[in-house]
Amino acid sequence: MPNFSLPDSVFEAAAARYPTPFHLYDERGIRENARALQQAFAWCEDFEEYFAVKALPNPAILRILREEGCGLDCSSETELMLAERCGFSGRDIMFSANAMPPREFALAHRLGAIINLDDISDIDTLAAQGGVGETVCCRYNPGGDFRIGTAIMGNPGEAKYGFTLPQLREGLRRLQALGAKRFGLHAFLSSNTIENDYYPTLAGILMRTARDLAEETGLVPAFINLSGGVGIPYRPDQERTDIRQVGEGVRQVYEEFFPEGGVAVKTELGRWMTGPMGWLVTHAVHEKHTYRDYIGLDACAANLMRPAMYGAYHHITVCGKRDWPADHVYDVTGCLCENNDKFAIQRALPEIAIGDLVVIHDTGAHGFAMGYNYNGRLRSAEVLHRQDGSFALIRRAETPEDYFATLTGISL
Ligand SMILES: *Cc1c(COP(=O)(O)O)cnc(C)c1O
């Protein structure tokens, strides 16, 4: 069993109402995660989760998170516009720069967002696009390998993000000369990490660096931004991160570096918040028996790219057959003309018949959002399972007219 699932009756009821494929999200689960995270960091004054919009950019979800006291982490001008339309403003928006067109800084500045600079050259851009505010955040890349204990968890030295330490020293001085008084420090060193030690280890690096930089520059450390990266157990044999233990681990590091308090902690979780609270609901529409046994679904990689792109595992269940023995081995495929369009490869599953409702788990983050239109495939609908058990269509499926709408110079 995956770490969290709705009962099959909910998927069946949703599929009776909306044509498959669609992504289904669970409101209650998302609210519970937001509360558990805030509880885990309740020791920290001014803690705030800035939900990473890119993980699940649907206004219905963003509004739920706003009701739960979350801000948003935006990575583009369009995401900033979405945040504004959903009622977020000012310090409840974090804008994570990354090789941006300069005008995107101007919108972030106008909204009063906290701007997280990715590179020392961003300082001049920001100065030219509205100016440097009193509080500014910088993204740190410590280089080399990132380890938790002895295990290598990532290779920041190969990553395109962030300032080096000498650049941080110089950059903060320049920001100070341009009017900054307080700074935040951010780093994202390992993605989809379920180890409880990820945030505490990262916090140690950031807090030590921020304390040293504050001493060197005289700037006040305003916050430590632990960014995203806390993972979820996509595989049934993986453990779920214990978020209370994570919060407690960060608290212990905090006490070591900032015993007087006064420095806030921020997070930008995407996957951990909504990943397990989404499912891609599909029907089996085809079967084929050649050198392998294939089941074809009415969804494809254009609806969920992670397996094709990263070889990512997503758990699959068949409605009404959860108790059946997994005594058939299938490649579960989509309909793209791409051999990597497989949701599962050589997966042991119960016998699947055409017409079965097949549910792909943990699609609530970086699922729909990574959709695309290759092969003229259209993005699916998104459906919300509300707390009272009812459903709401929160995005309709694309139509061929949507696909044609951006074409110019030809009438179709
Ligand atoms: C993608 C991203 C996140 C969210 O990452 P998750 O792995 O979904 O938690 C947070 N912050 C930044 C800057 C990102 O690019």
Side-chain angles (χ1 to χ4, degrees), residues 135-343:
T135 306
V136 64
C137 186
C138 292
R139 183 165 185 162
Y140 177 37
N141 183 332
D145 289 333
F146 171 65
R147 293 166 195 271
I148 299 179
T150 54
I152 297 180
M153 306 301 295
N155 310 93
E158 293 173 11
K160 66 174 181 167
Y161 306 107
F163 292 59
T164 66
L165 187 57
Q167 286 174 336
L168 272 183
R169 291 199 181 101
E170 184 191 334
L172 285 179
R173 290 220 166 80
R174 277 163 64 184
L175 287 164
Q176 197 171 24
L178 290 164
K181 305 234 175 323
R182 296 149 50 83
F183 72 100
L185 199 62
H186 168 283
F188 190 143
L189 302 184
S190 183
S191 184
N192 190 25
T193 307
I194 52 175
E195 279 75 6
N196 291 334
D197 284 344
Y198 171 55
Y199 262 4
T201 308
L202 174 66
I205 295 171
L206 286 174
M207 289 178 190
R208 179 188 306 277
T209 310
R211 193 188 58 185
D212 293 351
L213 288 167
E215 275 168 19
E216 285 172 36
T217 61
L219 282 169
V220 177
F223 61 86
I224 299 298
N225 183 344
L226 299 172
S227 78
V230 176
I232 57 171
Y234 284 101
R235 290 175 185 273
D237 58 354
Q238 288 176 312
E239 292 284 319
R240 186 160 164 68
T241 304
D242 180 346
I243 206 70
R244 286 182 56 168
Q245 201 177 318
V246 170
E248 173 57 19
V250 175
R251 189 187 67 76
Q252 285 171 15
V253 177
Y254 187 96
E255 300 226 311
E256 183 187 338
F257 289 103
F258 301 116
E260 322 273 281
V263 180
V265 173
K266 313 285 183 192
T267 58
E268 300 170 346
L269 292 174
R271 192 186 314 270
W272 186 86
M273 291 283 283
T274 58
M277 302 306 159
W279 299 263
L280 178 56
V281 181
T282 74
H283 276 108
V285 292
H286 192 254
E287 68 180 299
K288 170 168 179 165
H289 306 282
T290 52
Y291 307 103
R292 290 182 175 184
D293 294 324
Y294 294 94
I295 292 293
L297 303 181
D298 56 6
C300 66
N303 307 114
L304 177 69
M305 193 197 230
R306 298 186 70 261
M309 187 163 174
Y310 310 119
Y313 180 99
H314 278 264
H315 202 61
I316 293 178
T317 53
V318 184
C319 284
K321 298 187 175 176
R322 290 209 204 195
D323 300 331
W324 289 32
D327 55 1
H328 284 62
V329 174
Y330 294 113
D331 280 14
V332 180
T333 77
C335 48
L336 290 186
C337 301
E338 268 287 354
N339 195 41
N340 69 1
D341 182 17
K342 294 184 176 181
F343 293 113

